[in-house]
Amino acid sequence: MKKLIALLLAVVMVLGLVACGSEASAPAAEGSAAAEGSAAAEGSAAAPAAEGGQTVGIAMPTKSLERWNRDGEYLKNEFEAAGYAVELKYSDNDTDQQNNDIANMIADGVDILIVAAIDGESLTNTLNEAKEKGIPVISYDRLIMNTDAISYYVSFDNYTVGVLQGQFVIDTLGLDVNDTSKTYNIEFTAGDPADNNAGYFFNGAFDTLKPYIDAGILNIPSGKTTFEQVATPSWSTDTALENMQNTLASYYSDGTILDIALCSNDSTALGVAQAIQSDYNGGNTPIITGQDGDIANLANVVDGIQTMTVYKNVSDEAGVTLVLAQAILKGETPDAGLLSSLKAEAAYDTESYDNGTGIIPSYLLVPWTVTKDNLQDLVDTGLYQWDAANKYLETVG
Ligand code: BGC
């Protein structure tokens, strides 16, 4: 318990530092709803247009999920260093607020919008307004649906994130589809149904494991085999915790062994790990997957509580977004040719992401698997460092 409290304090401190670094004007406490709701705290006090320059409007979903703090900070830094003025808003995971925030940025006359949607289905009207005003929109990380106002999509190969999680399970257990002598129990935890990415993550993992499920090597005692049955609204840690507690109470209280908790990301993996620690009596340590490399989860990886996370370098994602935005603002129509000007490895994809109005051309970065054994690779990115005791990782800056 002491350790947990120390860890939580460390996380709060790290997030606090991120917040201070990114938004000098943000006096309010990190992650508090009040802070997210307040325009001043979100740096939305109309950013002065750079002298003769252009202004970039950045809409992030929430500060309560760790990664978006990093995305916001990296994007802001990249664009400011390139001479743009930046309006950065977080919308407290509230769809109405995000619509308002974006409408305000349009009214402020931003030259381009970069939007990570809370609910991919809910921004149609607001973004159509952007289109009418000739403001290009980059859909950031999550695909925004049902509007042709979107010029481009920048993300990671989302399906591959799930494939990496599934493949990790196969490799760790040494599964062979023709060898049914050993069987394992697995439960899935997926993400927010309003987030277009969530289905890709789940499908990537499920499709990869399906041959083993069909062969009876992997069993799902809860019978929860569909995305809808295991989705976690808002990617909430608390909901993931409760859902796993319910699953454990209903299907594992008789001593049934849980071998794998396949979680789509780190915020859900955190809740699932807590449920397993408090409510699971099987005696073994189940494999727990995740995604993002959140600080608390990296600590769990060190401690052997979480087994892996899929890492996505969101500093690179911000860098790609800058290069793309610069090209758009110059009046160019970027295509595969842009790849050679990117600092990070990415693919140009014109097939995978249809938002209901047609295919949105996409720049997709490459995710990779992190375990206890390659944590130093994170340090080598320059974005993480070992803490004073050399045991856990913390973000740099
Ligand atoms: C992102 C993930 C993240 C999740 C919750 C998804 O859209 O791609 O990296 O874990 O949102 O924040």
Side-chain angles (χ1 to χ4, degrees):
M1 190 60 193
K2 257 191 191 161
K3 204 167 158 194
L4 184 67
I5 290 169
L7 185 60
L8 287 174
L9 278 175
V11 170
V12 167
M13 275 171 64
V14 167
L15 287 177
L17 283 178
V18 167
C20 293
S22 67
E23 291 164 76
S25 62
E30 178 66 35
S32 83
E36 295 208 30
S38 130
E42 292 308 312
S44 64
E51 200 68 50
Q54 290 167 306
T55 303
V56 178
I58 301 174
M60 292 287 115
T62 176
K63 290 192 156 199
S64 67
L65 294 162
E66 184 187 316
R67 71 157 283 184
W68 306 108
N69 295 274
R70 283 186 269 132
D71 290 274
E73 184 198 18
Y74 295 142
L75 283 164
K76 189 168 187 280
N77 291 345
E78 290 272 0
F79 277 95
E80 285 182 347
Y84 296 90
V86 171
E87 265 195 69
L88 169 63
K89 300 199 184 189
Y90 285 85
S91 308
D92 198 20
N93 257 346
D94 176 331
T95 299
D96 291 341
Q97 190 181 327
Q98 188 165 53
N99 271 296
N100 285 338
D101 286 340
I102 295 171
N104 286 336
M105 290 197 277
I106 295 171
D108 288 346
V110 295
D111 295 284
I112 190 165
L113 279 165
I114 294 159
V115 178
I118 293 163
D119 180 340
E121 305 273 347
S122 77
L123 295 174
T124 313
N125 294 339
T126 305
L127 293 183
N128 286 350
E129 239 176 83
K131 192 183 173 196
E132 275 165 28
K133 297 232 162 89
I135 302 170
V137 182
I138 297 176
S139 190
Y140 182 85
D141 201 82
R142 300 171 168 177
L143 186 63
I144 300 168
M145 307 302 287
N146 304 327
T147 167
D148 64 358
I150 307 300
S151 322
Y152 289 92
Y153 178 43
V154 177
S155 192
F156 286 79
D157 182 336
N158 294 304
Y159 186 82
T160 294
V161 169
V163 171
L164 289 175
Q165 294 168 340
Q167 194 57 46
F168 178 84
V169 170
I170 294 168
D171 295 343
T172 305
L173 297 175
L175 302 185
D176 172 353
V177 82
N178 297 312
D179 177 4
T180 53
S181 62
K182 262 194 155 182
T183 64
Y184 302 90
N185 291 331
I186 181 168
E187 297 294 343
F188 289 82
T189 297
D192 185 349
D195 176 353
N196 188 63
N197 288 351
Y200 283 90
F201 302 145
F202 175 79
N203 288 337
F206 200 88
D207 293 351
T208 305
L209 296 174
K210 189 161 185 305
Y212 304 89
I213 295 169
D214 291 347
I217 296 168
L218 294 178
N219 298 307
I220 309 173
S222 71
K224 295 177 193 163
T225 55
T226 65
F227 172 76
E228 290 71 23
Q229 286 172 308
V230 296
T232 312
S234 303
W235 294 95
S236 154
T237 298
D238 289 347
T239 307
L241 165 69
E242 265 171 48
N243 289 348
M244 185 46 99
Q245 281 176 326
N246 290 338
T247 296
L248 291 173
S250 304
Y251 305 99
Y252 292 85
S253 58
D254 61 355
T256 299
I257 295 293
L258 174 65
D259 298 290
I260 310 133
L262 194 307
C263 303
S264 282
N265 88 329
D266 280 352
S267 61
T268 54
L270 208 56
V272 166
Q274 281 168 26
I276 288 172
Q277 284 190 303
S278 60
D279 289 40
Y280 176 64
N281 305 314
N284 62 318
T285 305
I287 292 173
I288 302 180
T289 67
Q291 164 187 197
D292 288 332
D294 286 353
I295 292 300
N297 298 75
L298 292 175
N300 275 355
V301 168
V302 170
D303 289 339
I305 295 167
Q306 182 172 325
T307 330
M308 65 90 83
T309 187
V310 175
Y311 181 64
K312 303 193 298 193
N313 186 325
V314 296
S315 172
D316 285 346
E317 192 175 9
V320 170
T321 304
L322 169 67
V323 175
L324 174 62
Q326 284 175 317
I328 296 171
L329 287 170
K330 271 191 223 146
E332 295 168 5
T333 310
D335 56 17
L338 193 81
L339 295 176
S340 59
S341 14
L342 303 179
K343 285 192 214 113
E345 189 188 346
Y348 180 65
D349 180 311
T350 51
E351 282 168 18
S352 306
Y353 290 97
D354 187 330
N355 82 337
T357 65
I359 298 278
I360 306 299
S362 308
Y363 293 91
L364 303 176
L365 292 100
V366 183
W368 42 279
T369 297
V370 167
T371 67
K372 215 178 186 142
D373 298 330
N374 65 346
L375 288 169
Q376 181 59 33
D377 291 354
L378 289 182
V379 176
D380 294 343
T381 63
L383 302 170
Y384 296 82
Q385 62 196 14
W386 294 104
D387 70 3
N390 259 354
K391 188 172 180 209
Y392 297 114
L393 290 183
E394 56 194 16
T395 42
V396 171

